Amino acid sequence: MIVNKKKISLPIPKLETIETDKVLFKKALLAGASKIQAKIIANRKIPSHVKIKDILQPTLRDLDIYKLSGIQKSAERIADAIENKETIGLLCDFDVDGISSAAVLYSSFVDYFKYDPLKIKLYISNRMKAGYGFSEEVLSRIVNDSPTPTLLMTADQGSKDGDRVKKYNEIMKERDSIGDVIITDHHHIEGNGPKEAYSVVNPHKKDCKFEDDTICGCTVALFVMVAAREELIKRKILPENAPRLNQLLTFSTAATISDCVSMASPINRAIVLNGLRDINLGTKPSWRVFKNLEFNKNKPIRTDTIGFGFGPIINACSRTGGNGLVAVKYYLSDNEKEAKRYLDMLMLQNEDRKKKEKELVLDSVVEAAQQYNNNNSGLCIYLPNGHHGIHGIAASRICEKFGAPVVIFSPKEYEEYEEEIEKEKTVTKVIDGKKIKEKKMVKEKVKRKNVSIITGSARSVDCVDVHDTLINVDKLGNDVFIGFGGHSMAAGMSLNLDKFLEFKELFQKDINNKLPHEKAIPVIKVDGELKQGTLLDLNFVDELLKLEPYGNGFDYPIFKMKAHIVSSVDIKGKNKDTAIMQVLFGETTYKATWFKYDQSVMFNKIKKGSFCEFAVQVRDNFWKGRRTVSLQVLHANII
């Protein structure tokens, strides 16, 4: 890989064939799966309690949401608030899960429960200013609002925010006012959550009997509102034939896919199948407008369309400094004209996000390579000119490239000042009609940052629990963190800049103990090798697509295949980062596409005539009304 004309040494990905669970393979065949489908199922880590028929035909028919601890109490309090005409505050996170939750809660109250929209107040945490959770900044906005909400509902946050809940309760008590907080969340929680809350609904609660703790925050919020609807019917506030909240599954679908929760969960699979059906039917103006985007026209919306296309667009609002409200307004648009206006705004923000992301990845990979080549399994990078709304994505890219846990930090709180420096500059003079270049020292003003607080985003690999590492750093360090949180694969933290080197040393020491450097390599897990002569046609693709939805824990199949490149490797795309080539497999030539090829370890190494072992996904492509087979290349080794 070349960065700023420097050659960067990257580790070569290892193609690792997944070991097939033979017992699961037989069960899948008996359940009606074809051989290729059974192999894919048997190659996935299906929880032992999950039945194969629930993977093949997931349903919400027998779902009991009342196993969620605290849900009935929450529903009753919501009904009380509606009966008493209280002002209700909705506290939601800034990512797709939080934004989708905001749409679910607001739409439930206003569109389905017919509650006065003027009595609903939405508070979205600002990623850039306040960060994740029910923060002091959000609390200040709430208590200084008029009228102040007497019921707060969190979504996709709140499980670790007992201090703010307590402070809100105390302020409301001082005002001789009601002040209750319902927490709905899906993040890891201690015990049964903040005792100061009126109720807590979270599948990770110690006393929760709900069978699936992998559901996303939006789904938890949706289930609470389903229970609230039933309570309102019971109290005759709503008629018995009041519309069900089924159409809101589209928002939960977007959140489930984008938040990367387990797609080996039958509940998540059922939500996504139902939601994708309604998205493709265009049941809401927001979905009709998204379907009409040029790159979506005349083709189905699938999990990858949401995960790689839609999710980043929604996230771009908060990542580039916005407060997320544009994304919520897009979701809740009353008509297509309104939805298009908001989507256009989000698309512009996403273009800005993509540009900054590429810059961060290129800046990070140089430092990451240096640390990696010094035998570090844990990569810890501080970018003085980084962007803390985007560095989490950059951390994911670096983690993929090196197969090692990564933390990338950027400034959060700082003062900007100007400094005058002397700089050598080439100037051109005209003497006797001739242009003469000469070097001279000139004074220039440059902007500097006096950084006080930095924030970091961590991403990890399957075998290393990065949240556990942060706990160890916290125990061994000298008040290293201002705060941290997350889970095994991803986490966030903030610290004073002068604590960075201490954090880096402790982080790398812990990771190096957990992951020997020789095992810190990028791995592409493949489902097997396609034999020469295998016909990769649309029937083959359709057989794979019958196992939709794909996602985290139930990834789209990747195969090894040996093939010749029989055309030039053309670099295409607006950013000149996509390789297009023709490959000969058996007696058939296929079009192959390699996205982000410019950031690959194999950049400019493969060419026409190369015989390679590819890692590919066999997909379909839609162009001018025609549907054809296309190979998506993830890696290639020259044989």
Side-chain angles (χ1 to χ4, degrees), residues 490-502:
M493 67 224 73
S494 60
L495 49 135
N496 290 310
L497 179 59
D498 59 10
K499 291 289 183 180
F500 171 71
L501 291 178
E502 182 181 358

Side-chain angles (χ1 to χ4, degrees), residues 371-436:
Q371 291 184 25
Y372 182 87
N373 292 326
N374 283 334
N375 293 323
N376 280 301
S377 301
L379 310 177
C380 185
I381 301 157
Y382 171 55
L383 301 174
N385 296 314
H387 189 292
H388 70 265
I390 297 172
H391 62 209
I393 310 174
S396 296
R397 302 283 181 262
I398 299 300
C399 185
E400 290 169 5
K401 288 182 185 303
F402 291 90
V406 179
V407 185
I408 295 181
F409 287 93
S410 299
K412 183 185 179 186
E413 293 186 15
Y414 55 87
E415 292 178 358
E416 278 195 338
Y417 63 94
E418 284 190 343
E419 184 176 86
E420 194 170 75
I421 62 169
E422 279 198 331
K423 189 177 181 181
E424 187 177 74
K425 196 171 183 180
T426 302
V427 295
T428 302
K429 290 184 176 181
V430 178
I431 300 176
D432 297 331
K434 293 181 180 180
K435 290 183 179 180
I436 298 174

Side-chain angles (χ1 to χ4, degrees), residues 213-225:
D213 62 7
T214 72
I215 56 176
C216 70
C218 183
T219 296
V220 177
L222 176 57
F223 289 169
V224 170
M225 299 315 281

